[in-house]
Amino acid sequence: MHLLFATSIVPDGALASGYEIANAAIIAALRRAGARVTVIGFTWPGKAAADPQNTVVLGAIDVRTESASAPQKLAWVGKAMLSGLTFASAKLRAVSEHEVRAALERAGPFDGYVLNSVQFAGAFEKLVEDKPSIFVAHNVEHLSALENAAAAGGPFQRLLFRREARLLRVVEERLCRRARFVFTLAEEDRAPLGVAATDRSAVLPLVTGARAPTRNGPRRIDCDAALIGTWTWQPNRIGLDWFLGKVVPHLRPGFRIRIAGHMPSGVTSAHPGVEFVGRVPDASAFVCGAAVIPLISTAGSGVQLKTIETFELGLPSVATTRSLRGIDHRPDNCIVTDDPAGFARALEAAAADVRDVDGGAFHRQQVKALDVAIRLGLEKLGAVRQEVFA
């Protein structure tokens, strides 16, 4: 059967963010279950769809707020206010409903939608009501918006996040109510979305690739701890601020920490061992150069893909409770604590006694559980023949 996977940004093969990694894993699992999947959405400027034969591209768009010009940000705010849409969905109104409807027709006959997160579905909600749907909730977006409002630096930004939270709650409730089935990425997200019943939702355990990451030979460790992420995304920024402000002061001066990824302005550390290294060519090689990985999420919902990657690589880690959302199997070399001083002590202990484990076992468990959940959702949708699951 044919499913239309409606998303904001279509896969381009780069897997540069947790969102893109999650999308690739979900699409691959749908196809393993026997579904034909066509993806519809936008590309990043200068990027091409990774699977053009099975992708309908609506155009190229850069939806990143942090890199947008001031006029562009104001234009998005104005469009959101005039349309009554969320800020995130208003960004996708770069094309008209007529153009999207024509694109849906070009996708050919299909049996149902997989509505991937709230942004695209919220922007073109009336156009995706004509067929049964599965809703994939990457996060509980309205709760993340409330957390962002609490952490906002000024009253205008706080007001925008509160507006976003109010609208997102309504849209999420509507999408969940209309969906035949809802997938979340963490068990903790099912109840806030009102779909805690087993006949309404399931959790998707994720992986970062079709196969578990492999390493050639022993690791060469050149720093004590390493972090990489999209720090301009507000939930990540909240975790980084917690780590730099609360944990790092407890670390000995000689403890070496490297932090990769685009850094928003104003992020600094007085600790002599902290080094901001910007973009790195190979994320896996970067983290494998560290004795221990700090998993520092303190906000947001959904699953932390950096946690999954760390566990797949078998690397030692120290994690907050929030970093383990959506994870049922914690490796033996992961220490969990939310106490900043305890977190620092655990980092120093793990760096002094490095213990890697086999990440392949974790990857296999995740894939098996992912496929079971996907089959359940497709059975509820009624979009795949029962003999597929025989």
Side-chain angles (χ1 to χ4, degrees), residues 301-324:
S301 53
V303 70
Q304 289 291 300
L305 267 297
K306 289 305 172 188
T307 300
I308 291 174
E309 182 180 32
T310 299
F311 291 175
E312 286 179 339
L313 289 166
L315 301 178
S317 60
V318 179
T320 61
T321 304
R322 207 76 174 262
S323 295
L324 300 181

Side-chain angles (χ1 to χ4, degrees), residues 254-311:
F255 195 87
R256 300 161 300 158
I257 306 167
R258 292 182 178 172
I259 304 176
H262 180 60
M263 197 63 58
S265 60
V267 177
T268 60
S269 175
H271 190 283
V274 173
E275 181 183 4
F276 300 99
V277 299
R279 294 180 64 87
V280 293
D282 187 326
S284 292
F286 173 74
V287 295
C288 284
V292 60
I293 307 302
L295 302 171
I296 59 172
S297 177
T298 61
S301 53
V303 70
Q304 289 291 300
L305 267 297
K306 289 305 172 188
T307 300
I308 291 174
E309 182 180 32
T310 299
F311 291 175

